[in-house]
Amino acid sequence: MANCASTDAPPLTSRQGDHLPDETGVERLVRAVREGVPGAAEDLWAGQARRLIRAAIALGVPIEEAEDVVQESLLSAFRNFGRFDGSRAPFEVWTHRILVSRTSNWHRARRRLGLALSRLAGEGRPRSVTRPDEALEAEEAKRTLDRLTAGLTPVRRRVWVITQLSGLPIREAAEALGLLEETVRSHLRHARLALERAVKEKS
Amino acid sequence: MTVDTDPVRRAVETLSRLVPTPPPPRDLRVGEAGPKMTRLKVALAAAVLIIAAAGAWLVSNRLVAPETASSPLFVVEHLRVRGKTVEPRVMEVPGADALVLMAPRSTAMGTEPDRAVQAPAALMISSVIAPAGRP
């Protein structure tokens, strides 16, 4: 997790010398990418990808689409890397903001195309899953996730995912979602209650 | 308040384990920083150039209203058909050095105007207003 103390520091490109003590691994990589260190962009990509996949799945993207959604998000983040201002928010906030936007677009497109097309595309049976036990496990996990998160509004689901699953602090989550910190706190409180109810009902 | 949301996390973990990590493209392009104002200025300059080019194209293709009576080059006079004065239609032919006057088809049928316009437009009138099907 990015250290909040570093957000008030000048842009990383202006820093000289060795790593600063409050610099996180992600910030070091961001600085290395800016300085054109070979392989730094790939390392930064790999570090963000796993985290974003979890977030995308928790935001309701099916697993056979999650890889594409995350890849598009990261491509967009790297193409617009020059616009990323590390002094305002950490890189994770930047990538999560893009992911949330892409995920919303995905849901919108899915609603337009309709469920029938999604079924034709093979939703619920990922291409990467070939073993029957894995397929069963995936279907069960998806059913559980759908059932437990059914009571969450989209914005509460986003808040819960970004703060509880991706672990961004409230301030950074508010920045990523374009909400006020108080609003994020309120949504998070309601999301927790809804999830707690759902888990109790399930058990 | 402790909330047991482990089933949600477990479901997410189970699903995300089945998703391969998307690899970065071989030619991963990292966008470089550029001052926002510079980008805006470039966009503005591009828009001005496009508008100027479109204007130049319009002018060069003479897609403007044809010059009529006020033109010093062509003085449009009236057309007389069967002894009557009719309102001519003024046309501009791109590339031609003259305005073309056409009498209304209904009045021009089978009739030659007894008065046209000053040369050189008059040279074109006889062929233009000749009624269809007649020499």
Side-chain angles (χ1 to χ4, degrees), chain B residues 81-82 105-112 129-132 134:
Chain B
V81 178
R82 290 179 187 165
R105 181 170 286 275
S106 58
T107 53
M109 288 294 283
T111 312
E112 287 291 324
I129 64 169
R134 292 195 178 199

Side-chain angles (χ1 to χ4, degrees), chain A residues 6 9 26 29 46 53 62 75 78 99 107 109 121 127-128 136 147 157 166 190 192:
Chain A
S6 66
V26 175
L29 278 174
I53 280 177
L75 274 176
F78 277 83
L99 179 77
H107 281 297
R127 291 185 296 271
S128 56
L136 274 175
R147 193 165 56 238
R157 186 169 181 158
S166 292
H190 285 100
R192 279 172 165 163

Side-chain angles (χ1 to χ4, degrees), chain B:
Chain B
M1 181 175 57
T2 305
V3 181
D4 178 21
T5 50
D6 279 353
V8 183
R9 291 172 194 274
R10 273 200 302 273
V12 171
E13 286 301 329
T14 302
L15 290 170
S16 62
R17 263 204 321 271
L18 301 171
V19 178
T21 306
R26 203 170 292 170
D27 55 341
L28 178 58
R29 195 163 58 84
V30 179
E32 290 177 5
K36 195 177 270 183
M37 281 310 291
T38 304
R39 284 200 303 273
L40 283 175
K41 280 177 189 169
V42 168
L44 191 63
V48 168
L49 280 176
I50 288 169
I51 290 168
W57 183 85
L58 283 173
V59 168
S60 67
N61 283 277
R62 305 183 70 182
L63 294 177
V64 293
E67 295 177 3
T68 53
S70 62
S71 167
L73 295 175
F74 303 107
V75 178
V76 178
E77 297 187 3
H78 60 271
L79 281 176
R80 287 184 71 81
V81 178
R82 290 179 187 165
K84 292 180 180 175
T85 301
V86 296
E87 190 67 30
R89 284 192 287 144
V90 181
M91 292 181 67
E92 187 186 37
V93 179
D97 291 332
L99 292 176
V100 178
L101 298 190
M102 293 179 70
R105 181 170 286 275
S106 58
T107 53
M109 288 294 283
T111 312
E112 287 291 324
D114 59 3
R115 187 83 186 271
V117 298
Q118 288 184 348
L123 296 175
M124 306 181 71
I125 282 180
S126 59
S127 60
V128 173
I129 64 169
R134 292 195 178 199

Side-chain angles (χ1 to χ4, degrees), chain A residues 143-158:
Chain A
R143 267 198 302 274
T144 304
L145 184 64
D146 288 347
R147 193 165 56 238
L148 293 178
T149 55
L152 295 179
T153 60
V155 67
R156 285 178 187 165
R157 186 169 181 158
R158 280 182 218 135

